[in-house]
Amino acid sequence: MPAQVRELRQRIRSVKSTAKITRAQEMIATSRIVKAQHAVAASKPYADQIVAALTALVSHNVGIDHPLLHEQPEDSRSAVVVITSDRGFCGGYNANVLREAEALAQRLRDRGREPVMYLVGNKGLTWYRFRDRDYAEAWTGFSDRPTFDSAERIGRRVAEDFLKTDAEGGVGEIHVIYTEFHSMLTQEVQVRRLIPLEISEREDDGTGPVLPAYEFEPSAKDALDLMLPNYIESRIFHMLLQSAASEHAARRRAMKSATDNANELIDVYTRLMNQARQAAITQEISEIVGGADALADSGGE
């Protein structure tokens, strides 16, 4: 019995130490998620406006020719940007993204295209390295606090590969897999085709929203050359911010669950320890009473 009590005390101390760690992680994630939400909200108007500007440009210049607006069937490779986290303790956040990446890669192979992976986040990089999978490039160290410089590096690389020919190792389309933040309880993995752009060419018929009347100098094509890199970088930046907010929310939820489970386990171990101590005391009392009865019986004889 004393050995069982000591073992339960050691388990309680161990679980309490774990609970302190998970509680601290929960508090850190809670403090950071507010800033991440503000960053997402601040980036959304710019992302919406640049999409509106590109839509207006294409709609007012129907038939404009640009490599980023059209698929390149001669290229048999498709880029897939996978956005994961650098750290763990966030439940199924990374597993959901990687599962969707595998599903997209299989769909691309079924279409006869070769997926080329571009990895964002140390967890995705570790997953592919462990399985000895090939990837084009990886970026790590900023998943929870992305900057525009990081998005610019990613956007520049994928755009350059898109403009290359198939013989040069180029890609014909670019997909991004990230986690969209809806609320503290809801985050959803999204698959978006970044380029070629999915912008519908339409004219203002009076039934939809009025398109802004932009004037382009020297030409619409030159303006498109300048806007498209900004479009790619801003969209990737917005996706990185969405993923960062989702990462913090997933970590907070996972750490809260871990802390609650630890507290429940401490209660169970404490109850078992008390029962073991009570059983040990009862056994000692029984032995004392039994010894006294034996002495009484021997004295009487």
Side-chain angles (χ1 to χ4, degrees):
M1 288 298 178
Q4 183 181 5
V5 172
R6 285 195 300 270
E7 181 182 356
L8 289 171
R9 282 176 178 169
Q10 291 176 355
R11 290 185 181 181
I12 290 172
R13 284 196 295 267
S14 177
V15 175
K16 283 183 177 179
S17 298
T18 302
K20 289 179 181 179
I21 296 173
T22 56
R23 177 59 178 167
Q25 291 285 345
E26 178 189 350
M27 294 177 65
I28 292 172
T30 302
S31 65
R32 290 181 177 177
I33 193 172
V34 177
K35 295 180 180 179
Q37 286 179 279
H38 291 165
V40 171
S43 70
K44 191 175 187 303
Y46 180 77
D48 292 343
Q49 285 302 314
I50 196 168
V51 171
L54 284 171
T55 302
L57 188 153
V58 174
S59 298
H60 289 310
N61 297 271
V62 178
I64 189 171
D65 186 25
H66 195 280
L68 298 186
L69 293 176
H70 305 288
E71 295 186 7
Q72 301 182 25
E74 68 277 4
D75 290 333
S76 60
R77 294 150 54 94
S78 297
V80 180
V81 180
V82 183
I83 301 177
T84 59
S85 67
D86 288 317
R87 300 186 299 116
F89 298 110
C90 49
Y93 171 81
N94 293 304
N96 294 335
V97 173
L98 293 170
R99 188 183 305 113
E100 193 62 41
E102 286 294 288
L104 175 61
Q106 186 58 48
R107 291 196 297 269
L108 292 173
R109 294 189 187 98
D110 294 340
R111 290 170 45 198
R113 305 190 67 88
E114 177 188 354
V116 181
M117 314 307 291
Y118 296 78
L119 309 177
V120 180
N122 188 58
K123 287 299 179 179
L125 177 60
T126 302
W127 193 88
Y128 276 85
R129 280 181 175 175
F130 180 78
R131 290 160 177 78
D132 199 20
R133 303 279 186 89
D134 293 330
Y135 59 90
E137 191 167 342
W139 299 268
T140 61
F142 54 83
S143 69
D144 56 343
R145 294 180 180 179
T147 63
F148 189 79
D149 291 339
S150 303
E152 189 177 20
R153 293 198 306 270
I154 300 170
R156 187 183 303 114
R157 171 62 194 274
V158 295
E160 289 174 355
D161 288 353
F162 181 80
L163 295 175
K164 292 179 181 177
T165 63
D166 195 49
E168 296 172 337
V171 296
E173 58 184 4
I174 297 175
H175 301 266
V176 182
I177 302 177
Y178 70 104
T179 307
E180 187 173 13
F181 179 86
H182 294 292
S183 67
M184 293 288 288
L185 299 177
T186 307
Q187 301 87 43
E188 183 179 3
V189 178
Q190 300 288 344
V191 179
R192 296 280 187 262
R193 195 180 78 171
L194 194 61
I195 49 179
L197 299 178
E198 297 178 340
I199 298 179
S200 59
E201 298 178 355
R202 63 183 180 84
E203 296 182 357
D204 187 10
D205 56 1
T207 59
V210 178
L211 294 174
Y214 291 105
E215 293 183 1
F216 303 99
E217 293 183 0
S219 67
K221 185 179 184 304
D222 292 333
L224 194 59
D225 289 335
L226 294 174
M227 291 175 63
L228 278 173
N230 292 330
Y231 166 81
I232 295 171
E233 294 161 7
S234 66
R235 291 296 297 163
I236 291 179
F237 184 49
H238 185 67
M239 293 173 181
L240 289 175
L241 293 175
Q242 289 273 4
S243 296
S246 300
E247 176 186 344
H248 292 311
R251 181 170 292 114
R252 178 186 177 276
R253 187 169 60 251
M255 291 299 97
K256 185 179 186 306
S257 177
T259 303
D260 293 341
N261 291 337
N263 291 331
E264 291 179 4
L265 194 58
I266 290 171
D267 292 339
V268 172
Y269 284 155
T270 301
R271 185 166 58 252
L272 291 175
M273 185 183 66
N274 292 335
Q275 291 174 355
R277 291 174 60 188
Q278 184 177 5
I281 294 171
T282 302
Q283 183 178 358
E284 292 177 0
I285 294 175
S286 299
E287 292 174 353
I288 293 172
V289 172
D293 292 341
L295 289 175
D297 293 339
S298 61
E301 293 176 357

